[in-house]
């Protein structure tokens, strides 16, 4: 129904996450009405982000340098590593402005259903990184997602790391702040009761 | 918080309609993980649609040629012109697959509040187009939006065209199909009663 350049743009946009055909159409029409410079800047921003950004050689976080700003920051605690599934999780934790350790991005989680085994994600790099450290006060916080894959990954990693004499912890699961007991699912409530702490 | 290429992409994306900062972030992360070819194709689709698509010299619809596919279609009725505000409205009416006339896209509506007068939209082109036609069985359907600006534009155009001996009609306002009387606003209900037809 649309002419080819518009149809092509709509189908490209509709492949993006959270963009349906209707939104893609709306965005495409918006692109048509943009100024020349805005359209060019949008296209350049896509290419430039895609080309310049890669994973940090140490932790796997996104960076446009060899090592990321967090790994290069000497003010951060080298003996505290937070393990996350995705580079975007680093951003989520950084937003709390409280965590002063470093990160290790796995770039995925163990998922036999999807054919992702322990060797397909950056677990070996994590073990190598920890073996290099001499410090015994080392702590690894496992902050993988609280779903089957994330949980399995956390268990797998903790079994690998404990023999190395490393303290391994898991982030707490429980009622979110501002949440309402009544509307929380049973599994979360169970975890909240199990994980109770003395006041 | 983000490195520059990611932050730049997020702010470009967040300027698009219906995309907030959170969605822009999600889209930006998706772009980073895209294959090289997909990222390039997305950027090219934006530039290509923006550069190739312009308004049809006859009706103002989007086209990548001199005149659009609808204006060049000889099977369509030349004596029936549907006047719409935006080129995207053409697509909306085309989807009904029932209208077999041609279009005239105004590229806006009269809106003194926004400083848009009759000379700022393609009304003169519409009048010129109709003056060229010798046929007296000519009908112009005014399909501008049912809001203050669209209504004012419809009234203005009908006053211009009627002296030319042209039949001028306005699309019907009323209860949408599948709608519920109870939930329809008073103005729509009023229009629906006013516009009642004998069964």
């Amino acid at each position: 129904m649309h002419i080819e350049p518009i149809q092509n743009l709509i189908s490209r946009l509709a492949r993006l996450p959270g963009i349906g055909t209707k939104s893609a159409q709306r965005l495409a029409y918006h692109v048509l009405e943009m100024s020349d410079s805005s359209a060019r800047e949008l296209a350049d921003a896509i290419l430039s982000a895609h080309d310049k950004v890669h994973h940090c050689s140490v932790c796997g976080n996104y960076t446009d340098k060899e090592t990321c700003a967090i790994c290069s920051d000497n003010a951060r605690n080298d003996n505290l590593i937070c393990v996350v599934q995705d580079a975007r999780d680093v951003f989520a934790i950084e937003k709390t402005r409280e965590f002063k350790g470093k990160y290790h991005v796995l770039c995925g989680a163990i998922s036999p259903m999807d054919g992702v085994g322990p060797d397909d994600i950056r677990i070996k790099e994590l073990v190598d990184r920890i073996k290099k450290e001499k410090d015994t006060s080392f702590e690894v916080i496992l902050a993988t997602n609280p779903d089957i894959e994330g949980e399995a990954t956390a268990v797998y990693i903790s079994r690998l790391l404990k023999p190395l004499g490393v303290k391994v912890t898991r982030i707490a699961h429980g009622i979110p702040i501002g949440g309402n007991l009544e509307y929380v699912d049973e599994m979360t409530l169970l975890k909240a009761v199990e994980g109770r702490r003395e006041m």
Side-chain angles (χ1 to χ4, degrees), chain A:
Chain A
M1 196 91 93
H2 291 288
I3 54 172
E4 195 276 328
I6 301 183
Q7 189 53 56
N8 180 36
L9 179 55
I10 292 174
S11 33
R12 296 273 159 213
L13 291 170
R15 287 183 209 170
L16 298 175
I19 309 276
T21 320
K22 276 256 169 176
S23 320
Q25 231 177 76
R26 191 175 170 204
L27 291 174
Y29 281 127
H30 181 84
V31 166
L32 299 181
E33 300 294 344
M34 270 177 159
S35 70
D36 277 2
S37 65
S38 298
R40 226 150 289 276
E41 277 159 11
L42 176 60
D44 285 348
I46 290 171
L47 288 180
S48 150
H50 183 79
D51 293 347
K52 284 187 196 156
V53 178
H54 49 258
H55 293 281
C56 167
S57 61
V58 179
C59 76
N61 185 19
Y62 286 131
T63 181
D64 51 355
K65 307 204 169 51
E66 169 66 17
T67 52
C68 75
I70 295 172
C71 284
S72 327
D73 184 351
N74 292 325
R76 281 177 174 259
N77 186 352
D78 275 321
N79 296 319
L80 181 62
I81 290 188
C82 180
V83 177
V84 293
Q85 288 180 210
D86 279 310
R88 65 194 75 181
D89 298 333
V90 171
F91 177 70
I93 296 178
E94 281 301 287
K95 273 202 297 187
T96 67
R97 294 172 188 276
E98 284 297 326
F99 180 72
K100 295 297 175 208
K102 300 204 164 173
Y103 291 92
H104 189 83
V105 180
L106 295 172
C107 297
I110 297 171
S111 172
M113 292 280 281
D114 303 315
V116 181
D119 297 338
D120 299 319
I121 60 176
R122 300 178 69 254
I123 293 181
K124 192 181 166 294
E125 287 86 340
L126 174 64
V127 176
D128 288 349
R129 225 176 129 182
I130 289 164
K131 278 184 179 162
K132 269 189 211 152
E133 299 288 334
K134 302 273 182 301
D135 208 307
T136 48
S137 69
F138 210 87
E139 178 178 348
V140 173
I141 305 174
L142 298 174
T144 51
N145 286 336
D147 53 18
I148 297 177
E149 293 79 16
E151 213 57 63
T153 309
V155 170
Y156 183 91
I157 294 177
S158 84
R159 283 190 190 148
L160 273 184
L161 296 190
K162 277 189 178 166
L164 303 177
V166 173
K167 182 178 178 188
V168 182
T169 55
R170 180 90 173 101
I171 47 162
H173 301 323
I175 319 288
I177 302 301
N180 190 320
L181 273 196
E182 195 180 349
Y183 299 119
V184 165
D185 64 292
E186 293 85 13
M187 205 56 203
T188 302
L189 208 47
L190 182 69
K191 289 277 181 193
V193 175
E194 273 179 14
R196 67 193 180 277
R197 303 201 304 178
E198 196 162 343
M199 288 191 69

